Amino acid sequence: DAQTASLYTGARYYVHAHNCIGVAYARRQMLSEAVEHFREALRLMPQFDAARGNLGEALAAKERLSAND
């Protein structure tokens, strides 16, 4: 129905917004914040491969930074 379609469209908007915000944080090396947004995108849409890949990259970058400390 129309209400369900509207909710789905809204959820997709938030998923992509969280992914984009995560990318912006990652580019600024604000990796903890990036991880939070990628995880929220995946909570909303578990099959979102872009967010999953970005999350993996952010976690790997965090691990590299921790290893260098």
Side-chain angles (χ1 to χ4, degrees), residues 6-45:
S6 176
L7 287 173
Y8 179 74
T9 300
R12 283 183 51 92
Y13 170 80
Y14 287 115
V15 166
H16 289 280
H18 278 291
N19 188 58
C20 288
I21 292 167
V23 168
Y25 276 130
R27 287 181 179 161
R28 289 166 178 77
Q29 296 301 307
M30 299 172 72
L31 298 171
S32 294
E33 293 85 351
V35 166
E36 288 179 34
H37 283 279
F38 296 139
R39 284 187 172 149
E40 181 61 12
L42 288 168
R43 184 187 72 77
L44 294 169
M45 188 182 293

